[in-house]
Amino acid sequence: MSKELDVAIRAAKIAGERLEEHFETILELHEKEDKSFVTKADLEAEKIIVEQIQKNFPGHQILSEEAGTIGEADEHVWMIDPLDGTNNFTRGIPIFATSIALTHKKETTMAVVYNSITNTLFTAEKGAGAFWNGEKIEVSDIGKVSDCTLSFSRGRDSKSRALMLDLFDKVYPKIKSPRVLSSASLELAYVASGRLDAFIIQGINIWDFLGGLLLVEEAGGKTTTLDGGGWNLKSSQLLVTNGTIHEELLEILNR
């Protein structure tokens, strides 16, 4: 295990302990410009993670959902979402996660996704596989769209919501079961571990999904843009699958 992964796991677990202290309590909500919410829990968890990274890697840059960019430009950039699924969290729904990813020269090299309530830890390092609580994981072997369980990210702005409804209308009649879990990093971890077979990303921020994409890649899955092209750090509309149903889903989405 690299020092970077060790630090990320430790940071996620300490932050998770703080989130547990606030879970199922009454929290004051503050609405942000994008209509999402932030709470005391988000901010405290973020502070813990940032402090751990700065203590161990003082020269690295950090991009976090709440604090924005921290530190000078560097070839190493940490992408943090201290609480992915805030709305679920504030309603006592245990579908949320802390997501931490590290990029080196714009390539994702390490990822941690952690749900403290279920003590579920997903980790990956580039080229070394993906793991759930230390056990290696792989994407599902579902081979037909008609047998798949697929989750959608809903987005927050009107354009994203309209697109989500359009995509839902195309896909829903073709799949076995739809989901909207509202925690992108956890949904991607579920694709990586075979709990979901596919996930459509649109209308969410890079720190929500970057770490999860590495999990899927290392677990044998596939990611493209919605039209089947290659993706990059500026892409915001993606199809993530177990690989075997990818082309069939692209055909359905682009009819």
Side-chain angles (χ1 to χ4, degrees):
M1 180 188 300
S2 68
K3 180 180 178 180
E4 290 82 357
L5 180 57
D6 182 60
V7 169
I9 291 172
R10 184 164 64 251
K13 288 191 171 182
I14 297 172
E17 291 175 0
R18 185 59 55 85
L19 293 178
E20 281 193 78
E21 293 174 7
H22 290 295
F23 188 59
E24 294 186 316
T25 66
I26 298 174
L27 289 168
E28 184 177 352
L29 298 176
H30 299 280
E31 188 175 60
K32 299 187 289 187
E33 289 185 7
D34 65 357
K35 305 301 182 183
S36 65
F37 294 105
V38 63
T39 70
K40 181 180 180 181
D42 299 70
L43 298 175
E44 290 182 2
E46 178 183 64
K47 182 179 179 182
I48 289 168
I49 297 167
V50 169
E51 287 178 349
Q52 288 290 319
I53 294 171
Q54 290 182 323
K55 176 183 176 181
N56 289 277
F57 306 102
H60 290 189
Q61 190 176 65
I62 301 170
L63 178 60
S64 184
E65 179 173 14
E66 310 307 338
T69 302
I70 302 170
E72 301 297 324
D74 188 78
E75 62 183 22
H76 292 92
V77 181
W78 294 75
M79 303 279 187
I80 300 170
D81 191 345
L83 177 50
D84 178 26
T86 300
N87 195 46
N88 287 340
F89 181 88
T90 60
R91 291 174 176 267
I93 300 170
I95 302 175
F96 60 87
T98 295
S99 177
I100 303 173
L102 175 63
T103 66
H104 179 238
K105 296 181 179 179
K106 299 184 178 181
E107 180 180 46
T108 311
T109 58
M110 181 279 299
V112 168
V113 174
Y114 180 59
N115 181 318
S116 58
I117 301 301
T118 58
N119 194 29
T120 304
L121 176 69
F122 295 93
T123 62
E125 290 186 278
K126 186 72 175 179
F131 298 83
W132 163 65
N133 290 350
E135 297 183 12
K136 194 166 185 178
I137 55 175
E138 295 180 349
V139 294
S140 74
D141 60 0
I142 293 295
K144 296 187 297 182
V145 168
S146 59
D147 292 330
C148 87
T149 298
L150 182 151
S151 194
F152 298 81
S153 66
R154 57 182 177 81
R156 297 186 181 93
D157 60 280
S158 58
K159 183 178 179 180
S160 293
R161 288 174 180 269
L163 176 59
M164 184 261 193
L165 289 173
D166 179 60
L167 297 173
F168 189 90
D169 285 344
K170 288 181 177 181
V171 172
Y172 177 65
K174 307 292 184 180
I175 65 176
K176 182 176 183 179
S177 183
R179 296 287 186 272
V180 181
L181 301 181
S182 299
S183 178
S185 62
L186 202 54
E187 286 163 290
L188 287 164
Y190 288 169
V191 174
S193 56
R195 305 177 193 196
L196 293 172
D197 308 303
F199 181 44
I200 294 176
I201 293 175
Q202 57 84 33
I204 58 178
N205 296 305
I206 190 169
W207 47 74
D208 291 320
F209 63 80
L210 192 62
L213 290 184
L214 181 63
L215 290 171
V216 173
E217 177 183 326
E218 290 297 318
K222 184 174 182 178
T223 301
T224 67
T225 57
L226 292 184
D227 61 4
W231 71 278
N232 56 49
L233 294 182
K234 295 183 179 179
S235 301
S236 60
Q237 299 175 353
L238 302 173
L239 174 64
V240 185
T241 75
N242 65 358
T244 57
I245 59 173
H246 202 91
E247 296 305 315
E248 187 182 356
L249 268 174
L250 282 175
E251 184 179 343
I252 294 168
L253 292 172
N254 290 283
R255 284 175 181 166

